[in-house]
Amino acid sequence: MSSSSSCSSDPRVVGFIDMDAFYIAVEMQGPFKADLAADKPAAVVQYNSGEKNTADCAADDRKRFDVKTGTIIAVNYPARARGVKRNMPGREAHKACPELVLVRVPTKHGKADLTIYKQAGNNVVSILKSRAAACEKRSVDEVAIDITPESDRLLAEEPFAAVVHRARAAGTYLADSEASTTAAAVSKDATRKGHAGQLSS
């Protein structure tokens, strides 16, 4: 998807979706979803690059839960509330949250096998394509979407100022914040705090 310049006669409206805690969400739909309740702290770890002779472990292998080491790459909200963070070593995370459930990324040929996450990301893209003018997968859990037709439809029904006013009235974090005046001022952390706040309200 090519971006249009500010001088373009056909400006596009492009959205960017970063799927939060995506690896955990995928695991919660997998063969061990019973072990990963939404209200229980959990995280996904990847083996450390310095490890040698990492044994292959398929997506449906329960040994993926028999881990204490590795680096955390995804954390659900209950674990975040207990101080568990991305890039934290598994052992350190267990000290912060002893009941934390760790699940290791599948491995194949001694390397991380992201197949289950890539397939899940592709499924999301397929759904988005049914509504968006165009989609471009940027990573396993990130997608850019062209929502120009939908935004044109909405703005034909209601002026932009009314749309913004309705968002502010709804009390969303970004619409109410001073940071919302410029997209560049909104950090990833601020966005996540807004999302978490909306979930809890």
Side-chain angles (χ1 to χ4, degrees), residues 60-123:
D60 60 356
D61 191 332
R62 181 159 283 283
K63 287 188 291 188
R64 292 203 295 127
F65 283 84
D66 187 24
V67 293
K68 296 290 183 186
T69 61
T71 302
I72 291 178
I73 61 171
V75 187
N76 70 0
Y77 281 103
R80 292 179 194 183
R82 296 291 303 276
V84 179
K85 301 176 181 178
R86 284 188 63 205
N87 299 319
M88 183 180 277
R91 291 189 188 281
E92 184 181 330
H94 265 294
K95 289 179 182 177
C97 181
E99 67 271 31
L100 178 69
V101 175
L102 290 180
V103 56
R104 192 175 208 169
V105 170
T107 49
K108 192 173 185 179
H109 305 304
K111 297 182 178 180
D113 179 8
L114 303 180
T115 302
I116 58 172
Y117 312 112
K118 289 178 179 178
Q119 289 174 342
N122 290 340
N123 291 341

Side-chain angles (χ1 to χ4, degrees), residues 48-191:
N48 294 322
S49 58
E51 292 181 26
K52 295 182 179 179
N53 303 317
T54 301
D56 287 358
C57 198
D60 60 356
D61 191 332
R62 181 159 283 283
K63 287 188 291 188
R64 292 203 295 127
F65 283 84
D66 187 24
V67 293
K68 296 290 183 186
T69 61
T71 302
I72 291 178
I73 61 171
V75 187
N76 70 0
Y77 281 103
R80 292 179 194 183
R82 296 291 303 276
V84 179
K85 301 176 181 178
R86 284 188 63 205
N87 299 319
M88 183 180 277
R91 291 189 188 281
E92 184 181 330
H94 265 294
K95 289 179 182 177
C97 181
E99 67 271 31
L100 178 69
V101 175
L102 290 180
V103 56
R104 192 175 208 169
V105 170
T107 49
K108 192 173 185 179
H109 305 304
K111 297 182 178 180
D113 179 8
L114 303 180
T115 302
I116 58 172
Y117 312 112
K118 289 178 179 178
Q119 289 174 342
N122 290 340
N123 291 341
V124 171
V125 171
S126 295
I127 293 169
L128 292 173
K129 280 183 176 177
S130 67
R131 293 296 300 271
C135 286
E136 182 180 277
K137 193 173 179 183
R138 294 294 179 90
S139 72
V140 171
D141 60 352
E142 297 176 334
V143 186
I145 59 172
D146 184 343
I147 54 174
T148 306
E150 185 71 4
S151 64
D152 287 346
R153 182 189 67 78
L154 290 172
L155 291 174
E157 297 174 357
E158 191 174 17
F160 180 71
V163 173
V164 173
H165 178 73
R166 190 173 70 250
R168 287 184 61 84
T172 60
Y173 175 80
L174 293 179
D176 279 346
S177 70
E178 290 184 16
S180 65
T181 56
T182 59
V186 182
S187 69
K188 184 178 284 188
D189 284 344
T191 304

